[in-house]
Amino acid sequence: MNWPHSKSPIGGAFEEPAHDGLHRLGPMQQISIPRRRFRDEDVVDYVIVGVGSAGGVLLQRLARAGFDVVGFEAGPFWDTERDWVSDEAGSHNLYWNDLRIIGGKDPLALGSNNSGKGVGGGSVHWAAFTPRFHPSDFEVYTRDGVGADWPIDYEDIEPYYELLEMEMPVAGPAWYPWGKPHGHPYAPHPMGGVGDVLIKGCTKLGIGVSAGGPVAILSASRGDRPHCIYRGFCIQACKVGAKASTLITHVPDALKHGAEIRDTSMVSRIELDKNGRATGVHYFDAEGRQHFQRARVVIVSGYAIETPRLLLNSACPGHERGLANSSGTLGKYLMAQAGNVVLGRFEDLIRMYKAPPAHALTEEFYETDPNRNFARGFAIQTVGPLPIAFAKQMMAAKGQWGWGLRRSMMDYNHWAALGVLGEILPWDDNTVELATGANEKDRFGLPVAKVMFNLHENDKRLIEFGKNKTMEVMRAAGAVEVVQEQRYAHLVGAARMGKTPDASVCDKFGRTWDVENLFIMDGSVMPTQGSANPGLTIQSLAARTADYLISNHSAIQSGAKRSMEEPGIRKSLAPPGTFRSGAPHLR
């Protein structure tokens, strides 16, 4: 059918911005409100450095509670219709691609799979897989004699898991058997070809498997967000608006309640007064001009590399090794997860792009098994690399180039990919430091991060076992060829929370031990990481810290004795529409 040229597109004509505050966040969702601007000389209640997974939740909670809050973001405030494209190569600007120095015996690859730059941070390009941590993850040292214990228990974060699963929301099975068994608020997604492969292989081997989630992607429309259309570009940023990111789920409500987001603004240093309290942040604007924003409380949410980098760059008299570093642990115990990708070729068509990349998994191997020669464990998850990523994997797994690589690319639709997600333990030689070379500075003249990473014997044994088990599952599903690429995923740690100031940077609410009104809240505070994707846990921790800040705001201002009491969950601070129906499970 030939539509007339005057036919308006669904959802209305594409509009030019009426003012600076108009942003489209998908084909149906937009925010069209004046964007507040505090003056540098204003003393705001809270400054948040980084508006990503944690920062976005904190910004929304504190603004809704009535506080003056400014979120600083080094990257842009995305307009999804103008800035995002359904193209692998065209999505490189979503990632933190600035210079970083890497080293160690097993150096990490940084950028597209573990950090973001722009409002929403890494949640813009995550796969949105949202398994919870297990109760054992919070007491690894007590149970297994390795790693470290958290200063909180599973029960402390459980109500926030339940709430954030509603806020995103999360689609998944009605019964999830691993960790502390639980359900999910919304119905699971249908299986894609890769999910069918995982289910078939696990079933043949007698391994339990979860189908259709948990994943923070809409399985049915909700509010002004449409359902997933299974186009496969989840980790290139979801133009549809079906995938959760804090840009979509929390930032609009923050702005409606008076928060300011100062995008393309790079925070360079946190300032302390003569009493050792934070007074605000120095930053560079988009034109490179320097400013100072005053604040009563500073919260750093820059994630596992930029958070320690900022604190190290903020060294001053009395804090010569960096802010909040009297324990000497700042920048130490950086963790990545083992992320090996196992690829299998099948005679039948798989079309692994036709589903959310992560939509099925097994956690049967998550916990320590005394019959294995290593502590802790791993999960096996579906992944759905698009062609460019697939080509890279074929090059790494098979050493292909030229015609051989072209031949594999022609078979793209016959391949399936499963990912190992394994727990690498925290080690003090895995670090984030400041680079010292003359040419190792960013465009503002700030020393960049130097990231050192080494695998230890337990890590190597776990990776070998997990890789082989995943290849066994792939073969059991009927793959006629199986290869694998070794890689890493998900950075956390380097500013760990703990029970005492001699062995950690901050307490169980992210409040630094050394500076009473300086908080850290992002993935860097995690003492261990489990074998679950960290996004849900990061956002849940942020909501809990927001409740603590609201409960203790006056005491933090006055310098009163530090409270370690749980604040109580404030469901009333959830974004509007959290408790509406979408495709809920029947109960």
Side-chain angles (χ1 to χ4, degrees):
M1 177 179 292
N2 293 321
W3 294 101
H5 293 296
S6 60
K7 182 77 174 180
S8 296
I10 295 174
F14 189 81
E15 302 175 4
E16 289 299 316
H19 51 73
D20 184 57
L22 178 63
H23 283 265
R24 295 195 70 95
L25 301 178
M28 296 167 58
Q29 184 181 12
Q30 68 180 33
I31 50 177
S32 181
I33 55 176
R35 294 178 61 187
R36 187 172 186 176
R37 176 75 188 200
F38 293 99
R39 298 172 302 171
D40 285 351
E41 56 266 30
D42 292 336
V43 183
V44 300
D45 294 313
Y46 294 96
V47 154
I48 301 171
V49 182
V51 187
S53 287
V57 172
L58 286 161
L59 188 83
Q60 180 267 329
R61 290 295 203 277
L62 295 172
R64 183 170 268 270
F67 295 107
D68 291 337
V69 55
V70 178
F72 283 88
E73 173 54 49
F77 192 120
W78 301 114
D79 183 302
T80 65
E81 294 297 290
R82 291 175 171 83
D83 298 332
W84 293 356
V85 293
S86 298
D87 176 77
E88 285 180 272
S91 299
H92 67 278
N93 59 340
L94 300 176
Y95 317 129
W96 192 289
N97 292 315
D98 296 14
L99 175 66
R100 288 164 170 169
I101 310 303
I102 59 173
K105 292 180 291 185
D106 305 282
L108 299 170
L110 302 177
S112 62
N113 74 330
N114 49 34
S115 57
K117 191 173 187 181
V119 177
S123 72
V124 162
H125 64 83
W126 68 328
F129 222 20
T130 51
R132 300 180 185 181
F133 279 17
H134 290 201
S136 67
D137 290 322
F138 298 89
E139 48 186 20
V140 169
Y141 183 78
T142 294
R143 293 192 184 207
D144 299 315
V146 296
D149 289 343
W150 289 52
I152 65 173
D153 299 322
Y154 179 88
E155 288 70 23
D156 294 324
I157 197 173
E158 183 178 27
Y160 293 97
Y161 278 152
E162 294 171 349
L163 183 57
L164 267 295
E165 286 169 349
M166 292 290 294
E167 293 182 17
M168 294 182 180
V170 172
W175 179 251
Y176 193 78
W178 299 293
K180 183 176 181 180
H182 60 278
H184 297 95
Y186 290 89
H189 289 269
M191 282 295 90
V194 183
D196 290 338
V197 166
L198 180 62
I199 291 169
K200 184 177 180 180
C202 286
T203 300
K204 190 170 182 180
L205 296 174
I207 299 169
V209 64
S210 170
V215 62
I217 297 174
L218 292 179
S219 53
S221 298
R222 189 175 88 156
D224 55 4
R225 290 173 57 198
H227 61 78
C228 181
I229 60 174
Y230 306 108
R231 56 200 278 276
F233 283 95
C234 303
I235 61 176
Q236 283 71 39
C238 177
K239 283 180 69 70
V240 174
K243 188 187 78 170
S245 71
T246 55
L247 174 67
I248 303 296
T249 58
H250 289 81
V251 163
D253 191 53
L255 296 180
K256 288 176 184 176
H257 284 86
E260 179 191 345
I261 293 179
R262 212 165 290 175
D263 59 333
T264 59
S265 297
M266 180 68 181
V267 174
S268 58
R269 186 166 57 88
I270 299 165
E271 184 73 22
L272 301 188
D273 64 15
K274 63 181 180 180
N275 297 315
R277 292 178 61 85
T279 58
V281 297
H282 297 268
Y283 71 97
F284 293 91
D285 65 18
E287 286 73 42
R289 297 185 295 257
Q290 296 189 55
H291 303 266
F292 178 68
Q293 176 62 59
R294 292 164 174 80
R296 296 180 177 89
V297 178
V298 174
I299 309 171
V300 183
S301 298
Y303 203 36
I305 296 180
E306 292 306 310
T307 285
R309 178 191 174 208
L310 173 59
L311 295 172
L312 291 168
N313 270 323
S314 299
C316 60
H319 299 269
E320 286 80 7
R321 296 191 297 174
L323 291 191
N325 195 25
S326 62
S327 66
T329 58
L330 178 65
K332 294 184 179 180
Y333 305 106
L334 179 72
M335 292 168 283
Q337 287 171 316
N340 296 52
V341 175
V342 171
L343 303 112
R345 189 191 182 282
F346 292 80
E347 296 294 347
D348 295 332
L349 290 170
I350 301 297
R351 294 192 176 99
M352 57 183 165
Y353 62 91
K354 292 184 72 66
H359 65 279
L361 82 162
T362 177
E363 289 185 347
E364 286 287 305
F365 308 100
Y366 193 106
E367 305 286 356
T368 296
D369 183 342
N371 295 316
R372 301 193 298 240
N373 64 346
F374 56 86
R376 305 304 294 158
F378 60 95
I380 303 175
Q381 305 178 347
T382 60
V383 291
L386 295 179
I388 294 176
F390 174 74
K392 179 183 73 72
Q393 289 162 351
M394 287 291 102
M395 291 169 62
K398 301 180 70 173
Q400 289 185 318
W401 192 256
W403 171 248
L405 180 59
R406 292 178 62 190
R407 183 68 186 87
S408 288
M409 293 299 295
M410 282 187 260
D411 277 349
Y412 169 76
N413 281 328
H414 287 268
W415 285 84
L418 301 177
V420 178
L421 198 65
E423 180 172 358
I424 294 175
L425 295 172
W427 305 104
D428 65 2
D429 61 346
N430 291 334
T431 60
V432 178
E433 306 166 357
L434 294 181
T436 57
N439 298 319
E440 297 174 340
K441 296 182 179 181
D442 66 12
R443 68 187 185 94
F444 303 110
L446 303 172
V448 302
K450 178 181 178 182
V451 181
M452 307 297 288
F453 199 77
N454 308 282
L455 292 175
H456 290 241
E457 191 60 35
N458 192 84
D459 310 322
K460 295 175 182 178
R461 291 175 179 173
L462 183 150
I463 290 171
E464 185 68 14
F465 185 95
K467 173 193 71 177
N468 291 336
K469 180 59 66 175
T470 306
M471 295 176 82
E472 182 183 354
V473 170
M474 188 72 81
R475 293 189 184 97
V480 296
E481 181 183 0
V482 178
V483 298
Q484 73 93 32
E485 174 203 21
Q486 182 166 334
R487 60 187 291 277
Y488 304 104
H490 308 129
L491 295 175
V492 298
R496 62 176 9 174
M497 62 167 67
K499 294 181 179 179
T500 60
D502 62 321
S504 58
V505 176
C506 58
D507 68 18
K508 65 180 182 178
F509 299 109
R511 189 177 187 178
T512 62
W513 296 110
D514 299 350
V515 183
E516 287 289 304
N517 63 335
L518 172 63
F519 284 72
I520 304 168
M521 186 41 58
D522 53 36
S524 68
V525 304
M526 294 183 178
T528 59
Q529 61 177 339
S531 299
N533 310 61
L536 173 65
T537 298
I538 291 171
Q539 293 191 32
S540 298
L541 288 171
R544 177 173 166 272
T545 289
D547 283 346
Y548 177 84
L549 289 164
I550 294 165
S551 294
N552 295 277
H553 178 74
S554 296
I556 294 169
Q557 298 303 307
S558 65
K561 182 180 178 181
R562 180 186 300 253
S563 171
M564 302 301 283
E565 295 295 319
E566 289 294 323
I569 189 167
R570 288 175 168 81
K571 293 185 178 180
S572 61
L573 294 180
T578 290
F579 304 105
R580 293 179 192 165
S581 62
H585 288 290
L586 298 176
R587 298 179 183 270

